[in-house]
Amino acid sequence: MIRCEIISIGDELLIGQTVNTNASWMGSKLSEIGIPVKRVTTISDEREAIIRALDKALAEFELVLVTGGLGPTHDDITKAVVTDYFGTELVYHETIYENLKKRFEARGYKFPESNAGQAWLPKDAEILSNMVGSAQGMLFEKKGRYCVVMPGVPAEMRYLMENSVLPIFAARNIGNVIMHHTWRTTGIPESLLFELLGDISEIEQYGKLAFLPKFSGVDIRLSVYAETVANARKNVQSVERMILNRAGEYVFSTGDTPLEKAIADKLLDKKRTVAVAESCTGGLLGKKLTDIAGSSSWFLGGVIAYSNEQKMKILGVPPELLEKYGAVSSEVAEIMAQNIKKICATDFGISITGIAGPSGGSDEKPVGLVYIGFASPEGVVVKKHIFGRERELNRERSAHAACQLLYEALA
Amino acid sequence: MIRCEIISIGDELLIGQTVNTNASWMGSKLSEIGIPVKRVTTISDEREAIIRALDKALAEFELVLVTGGLGPTHDDITKAVVTDYFGTELVYHETIYENLKKRFEARGYKFPESNAGQAWLPKDAEILSNMVGSAQGMLFEKKGRYCVVMPGVPAEMRYLMENSVLPIFAARNIGNVIMHHTWRTTGIPESLLFELLGDISEIEQYGKLAFLPKFSGVDIRLSVYAETVANARKNVQSVERMILNRAGEYVFSTGDTPLEKAIADKLLDKKRTVAVAESCTGGLLGKKLTDIAGSSSWFLGGVIAYSNEQKMKILGVPPELLEKYGAVSSEVAEIMAQNIKKICATDFGISITGIAGPSGGSDEKPVGLVYIGFASPEGVVVKKHIFGRERELNRERSAHAACQLLYEALA
């Protein structure tokens, strides 16, 4: 069995300037090919720290993936350190130099000589070709253990993982299946859910169970280790029966898919279409729905009516309504949802109007007050929410609540 | 000087189900009080792994912060492991039990007995009170080194950091200032920027310099270590002069602010307004602009014209144009920008029309082809981009390129 450690290099990760999304993306992709990530170590761009981390990782694990510090500037030291560490030397690659030069010239820049260093690569490493950036990947072998070094730029790391690392190590890892399955619950605290599921050891004969509290509720995750995908799937199904029997009323998704994907599937299935009218979310709901590939089959469009003028002019909200009830009101949410449905000739119309903050609140209408309207062939409903004080959270929660309303109507 | 390691515990972090935002938040807060995070280690909820990580951390660093695995369910083992590790035992806290019970009853739930275990806490630890959740924080001391254990739920960890950990260790760390300062550039590749800055050693007499390539361009970060805030600030100012002299034309922000905030400041300053017409980005550009608090002063609204019908109906794109050139064309981008400016009566109108993928591309118009239109009182310009194959990246890059066009027009 191949077990993996990820070493992420970069001060920006340690001081919190950048969140380490690379490690979680890699962890999820490696899981899919049955390689568990046992540790992630994040360190700074320092020779000592890199060597110490490599020593520890290669002593414990069969595969070590290193990202970061391969750029062309003076603070990028990873290539020099690993070249020394594996006792090899840099050699010049003419074709890589020519390709780098072409890439720059195609973008209209003169080729900077400081970039030429990227054509020098360690002699004893297999070079993994990077077609989306200028730093190549490197695969080292030492006493039957492997170390891959990749750039930290997410798009470049992903390219190298998908085109080199995952295919190479999936082929070496036949017969080890890890399957993670998640059931998402809402409306019940973690400890009550735990009690509801009864004897956990009965469930854990099929795999390891974990409880993950989130904003939306508590996710239940099962991790199954098996020799074949079919066996792993059988275990997941056994647990699914138990969970749905014991806590089914709280489960809103039997899988890891985001709510937007569940919505997309239902809309496609029922051949229904949707349009949005957004105020305080400024386009976030449309963005979330169109995150899903193929959304053009069921998402027709929408209006971002951030100002009252646009609410009247494009959405046809009567000025009297705005004057009498204000833009953030049940009445305005209702007409916004109805009118966007009419304008875009869709089956459903969703509206969001609220006060995201930080300013704009009053005693009567505080920051966090949001109305969500939902128009369907059966009529209109409006839901009132009072979220919190943080602008970003209020916008996220509003868009999520709108998706939930749509999902419930489709379920 | 106090140096810190963060140990994040949780399988969900290793398999990529959750991104480790806790570690970056903690890193940034610790930086502010002059405590550098030298390593972040993420491990699974396994006794062996936790003990090994604690051994290594306490051998190297003065402060170790542990998060995760303090919940009430069977997969939460951190408290038991650290209690053993520091050679102490659990004792029962009556007042904590009563408080837990009250918290549940206030939310309308019967108190679940599985939660009662959270009133048992290690005898030799200082208990750090958690007022936003049921797992308390714990502070251990061993041979003059410190270990703090906190829950992994972000809101609870933040509460404990802000109310206990940061005040305690800031008081012990007088005389060590770390200051990070970032200058953000756009429109120049990393290696050319590096060359433009000339002799880096001249800059690095004031602090450590790093180059961070992003979507928006390349960030330059300076890290200064000093004894007083005034000295640190003086060093930042010296470097700022050098950077602005040598590469000032590419710097859009002398600080950490996003491009959208720089745009907001310029629009406010010039009293200009803007509206958007989005196709393939589905609302993302509007979302990005309205991320900025106070955006209602200059962002009036927009249209998400995802389908051709909406482009004609709401945006008034002539059907002949769509037929002759297609929705993804310079001609359609131009009229979309002009018309949204007219409809919303703004100073500027921005349009995006493109093929985000994964499907919808052709030989003539591949996935990644995006036109961005910009209408101002001076006329319209359209920029053609050919991005890559990934839907999410294409959408992000499109929205960013639109912001860049707007920024350049304002600069």
Side-chain angles (χ1 to χ4, degrees):
Chain A
M1 189 183 194
I2 303 175
R3 296 160 313 145
C4 172
E5 170 159 359
I6 295 169
I7 299 176
S8 306
I9 301 175
D11 290 336
E12 68 280 11
L13 300 166
L14 294 173
I15 68 170
Q17 192 167 32
T18 306
V19 175
N20 196 349
T21 52
N22 275 357
S24 57
W25 186 89
M26 291 161 82
S28 105
K29 290 293 169 186
L30 288 161
S31 249
E32 286 172 16
I33 61 166
I35 296 180
V37 172
K38 299 304 287 179
R39 189 164 62 205
V40 178
T41 301
T42 307
I43 49 174
S44 76
D45 306 86
E46 289 172 45
R47 189 179 185 88
E48 285 287 293
I50 296 173
I51 290 171
R52 204 179 305 139
L54 283 171
D55 272 342
K56 282 179 191 165
L58 286 163
E60 284 185 61
F61 305 112
E62 291 75 25
L63 174 62
V64 179
L65 302 184
V66 180
T67 60
L70 294 188
T73 61
H74 75 300
D75 53 316
D76 295 304
I77 62 168
T78 302
K79 188 172 66 185
V81 175
V82 294
T83 301
D84 287 356
Y85 183 85
F86 290 103
T88 181
E89 58 183 328
L90 295 176
V91 291
Y92 178 69
H93 290 246
E94 180 71 29
T95 50
I96 289 174
Y97 179 86
E98 291 302 330
N99 282 339
L100 286 176
K101 212 171 156 187
K102 265 184 229 152
R103 281 177 56 84
F104 267 79
E105 286 164 0
R107 289 162 67 198
Y109 293 113
K110 190 185 150 290
F111 185 67
E113 268 318 301
S114 55
N115 249 33
Q118 300 201 304
W120 288 82
L121 290 160
K123 199 175 157 193
D124 294 340
E126 183 181 330
I127 304 308
L128 310 178
S129 173
N130 176 1
M131 303 296 279
V132 295
S134 52
Q136 310 303 308
M138 296 163 262
L139 168 59
F140 296 91
E141 203 223 300
K142 194 182 179 178
K143 298 182 190 155
R145 304 204 150 182
Y146 294 91
C147 176
V148 180
V149 184
M150 293 173 276
V153 178
E156 300 184 30
M157 176 279 291
R158 289 181 189 201
Y159 178 88
L160 286 166
M161 285 291 289
E162 283 173 341
N163 291 283
S164 298
V165 180
L166 293 169
I168 291 171
F169 289 96
R172 290 175 192 267
N173 196 45
I174 307 294
N176 292 299
V177 173
I178 311 175
M179 192 175 280
H180 301 287
H181 194 89
T182 301
W183 295 268
R184 314 193 69 183
T185 72
T186 193
I188 180 167
E190 187 180 5
S191 49
L192 282 178
L193 180 66
F194 182 64
E195 287 186 3
L196 210 57
L197 290 181
D199 185 0
I200 293 293
S201 64
E202 204 185 330
I203 297 178
E204 288 209 316
Q205 60 180 301
Y206 299 105
K208 195 178 165 196
L209 206 66
F211 293 80
L212 309 167
K214 300 270 169 78
F215 264 125
S216 53
V218 180
D219 290 357
I220 307 171
R221 187 193 63 229
L222 179 76
S223 303
V224 174
Y225 296 79
E227 279 184 17
T228 65
V229 170
N231 281 351
R233 217 164 259 155
K234 231 188 276 170
N235 286 0
V236 169
Q237 282 160 0
S238 302
V239 172
E240 173 144 308
R241 271 193 298 275
M242 291 183 191
I243 288 177
L244 293 183
N245 272 337
R246 297 172 190 182
E249 60 181 308
Y250 300 104
V251 174
F252 74 83
S253 159
T254 62
D256 216 359
T257 50
L259 197 52
E260 295 77 25
K261 181 71 175 73
I263 289 170
D265 292 344
K266 287 201 185 293
L267 285 167
L268 271 178
D269 186 45
K270 295 181 193 248
K271 296 197 171 59
R272 300 294 171 92
T273 56
V274 66
V276 299
E278 304 188 48
S279 182
C280 65
T281 44
L284 177 58
L285 176 58
K287 186 259 172 199
K288 269 183 188 291
L289 293 172
T290 58
D291 276 343
I292 307 302
S295 48
S296 57
S297 317
W298 48 266
F299 180 81
L300 301 195
V303 168
I304 307 169
Y306 216 58
S307 69
N308 278 355
E309 285 66 38
Q310 306 325 319
K311 286 188 187 77
M312 296 186 277
K313 205 165 159 186
I314 317 186
L315 282 176
V317 177
E320 314 85 68
L321 224 58
L322 287 166
E323 229 163 79
K324 191 165 171 196
Y325 302 105
V328 179
S329 62
S330 174
E331 289 78 6
V332 169
E334 188 178 321
I335 198 108
M336 282 171 68
Q338 276 177 321
N339 286 5
I340 195 67
K341 173 179 175 296
K342 224 177 289 167
I343 292 168
C344 293
T346 50
D347 299 302
F348 304 117
I350 314 176
S351 67
I352 301 177
T353 177
I355 303 159
S359 62
S362 64
D363 282 352
E364 204 195 339
K365 296 188 176 180
V367 166
L369 174 67
V370 177
Y371 291 93
I372 295 172
F374 179 74
S376 72
E378 283 77 45
V380 204
V381 290
V382 176
K383 270 209 174 176
K384 177 182 176 175
H385 295 269
I386 298 176
F387 299 122
R389 294 234 212 91
E390 266 191 78
R391 178 181 180 82
E392 201 190 321
L393 281 181
N394 287 337
R395 282 157 50 92
E396 278 292 339
R397 282 174 173 155
S398 300
H400 180 76
C403 289
Q404 207 154 0
L405 200 55
L406 176 57
Y407 178 77
E408 280 164 17
L410 290 164
Chain B
M1 189 180 191
I2 302 175
R3 297 160 312 145
C4 173
E5 169 159 359
I6 295 170
I7 299 177
S8 306
I9 301 175
D11 289 336
E12 69 279 11
L13 300 165
L14 294 173
I15 68 170
Q17 191 167 34
T18 306
V19 175
N20 197 350
T21 53
N22 275 357
S24 58
W25 186 88
M26 290 161 84
S28 106
K29 290 294 167 182
L30 288 161
S31 248
E32 285 172 14
I33 60 166
I35 296 179
V37 172
K38 299 303 287 181
R39 189 164 63 205
V40 178
T41 300
T42 307
I43 49 173
S44 75
D45 306 88
E46 289 172 44
R47 192 179 183 88
E48 285 288 292
I50 296 172
I51 291 171
R52 204 178 306 139
L54 283 171
D55 272 342
K56 283 180 189 163
L58 287 164
E60 284 186 61
F61 306 111
E62 292 75 25
L63 174 62
V64 179
L65 301 184
V66 179
T67 60
L70 294 188
T73 62
H74 73 301
D75 53 316
D76 294 305
I77 63 167
T78 302
K79 187 172 68 186
V81 175
V82 294
T83 300
D84 287 355
Y85 184 85
F86 290 104
T88 181
E89 56 182 331
L90 296 175
V91 291
Y92 179 68
H93 290 246
E94 179 71 28
T95 49
I96 289 176
Y97 179 85
E98 291 303 328
N99 282 339
L100 287 176
K101 214 172 156 185
K102 264 186 230 154
R103 281 177 56 86
F104 266 80
E105 287 165 0
R107 288 164 68 198
Y109 293 113
K110 188 185 150 293
F111 185 66
E113 268 318 301
S114 55
N115 248 33
Q118 300 201 304
W120 288 82
L121 291 160
K123 200 175 156 193
D124 293 340
E126 183 181 330
I127 304 308
L128 311 177
S129 173
N130 176 1
M131 303 296 280
V132 295
S134 52
Q136 309 304 307
M138 296 163 262
L139 168 58
F140 296 91
E141 203 221 300
K142 194 182 179 179
K143 297 180 190 157
R145 302 202 152 182
Y146 294 91
C147 176
V148 180
V149 183
M150 293 173 278
V153 178
E156 301 185 29
M157 176 279 292
R158 289 181 189 202
Y159 179 88
L160 286 166
M161 285 290 289
E162 283 173 341
N163 291 283
S164 298
V165 180
L166 294 169
I168 291 170
F169 290 96
R172 291 174 191 266
N173 198 44
I174 306 293
N176 292 301
V177 173
I178 310 176
M179 192 175 279
H180 301 287
H181 194 90
T182 302
W183 295 268
R184 314 195 67 183
T185 71
T186 194
I188 180 167
E190 186 180 6
S191 49
L192 281 178
L193 181 65
F194 183 65
E195 286 185 3
L196 210 57
L197 290 181
D199 186 359
I200 293 293
S201 64
E202 204 184 333
I203 297 178
E204 288 210 314
Q205 60 181 301
Y206 298 104
K208 194 178 167 196
L209 207 65
F211 293 80
L212 309 168
K214 299 271 170 81
F215 267 127
S216 50
V218 180
D219 290 358
I220 308 171
R221 187 192 64 230
L222 179 76
S223 302
V224 174
Y225 296 78
E227 279 182 18
T228 64
V229 170
N231 280 351
R233 215 163 260 154
K234 231 188 277 170
N235 286 0
V236 169
Q237 282 161 358
S238 302
V239 172
E240 173 144 311
R241 271 193 299 275
M242 290 183 191
I243 288 177
L244 293 183
N245 272 338
R246 298 173 188 180
E249 60 181 308
Y250 299 104
V251 174
F252 69 80
S253 158
T254 62
D256 222 352
T257 52
L259 188 55
E260 294 78 24
K261 181 71 175 71
I263 290 170
D265 291 345
K266 289 206 184 290
L267 285 167
L268 270 179
D269 185 47
K270 296 182 192 243
K271 295 196 172 60
R272 298 294 171 92
T273 56
V274 66
V276 299
E278 303 187 48
S279 182
C280 65
T281 43
L284 178 58
L285 176 58
K287 186 261 172 197
K288 271 184 188 288
L289 293 172
T290 59
D291 276 343
I292 307 303
S295 47
S296 56
S297 317
W298 48 266
F299 180 80
L300 301 196
V303 169
I304 306 168
Y306 215 58
S307 68
N308 277 356
E309 285 66 37
Q310 306 325 318
K311 287 187 185 78
M312 294 185 276
K313 205 164 159 188
I314 318 185
L315 281 177
V317 176
E320 314 84 69
L321 225 57
L322 287 166
E323 229 161 83
K324 189 164 173 195
Y325 302 104
V328 179
S329 62
S330 175
E331 290 77 7
V332 168
E334 186 177 324
I335 198 110
M336 282 171 68
Q338 276 177 321
N339 286 5
I340 196 67
K341 173 178 176 297
K342 224 178 288 168
I343 292 169
C344 294
T346 49
D347 299 302
F348 305 117
I350 314 175
S351 67
I352 301 177
T353 178
I355 303 160
S359 62
S362 65
D363 281 353
E364 202 195 342
K365 295 186 176 182
V367 167
L369 174 67
V370 177
Y371 291 92
I372 295 172
F374 179 75
S376 71
E378 284 77 46
V380 204
V381 291
V382 176
K383 269 208 174 177
K384 177 183 175 176
H385 295 269
I386 298 177
F387 297 123
R389 294 235 215 90
E390 267 191 79
R391 177 180 180 82
E392 200 191 321
L393 282 181
N394 287 337
R395 282 156 50 91
E396 278 291 338
R397 282 176 174 152
S398 301
H400 176 75
C403 288
Q404 202 159 0
L405 202 54
L406 176 56
Y407 178 78
E408 280 165 14
L410 290 163

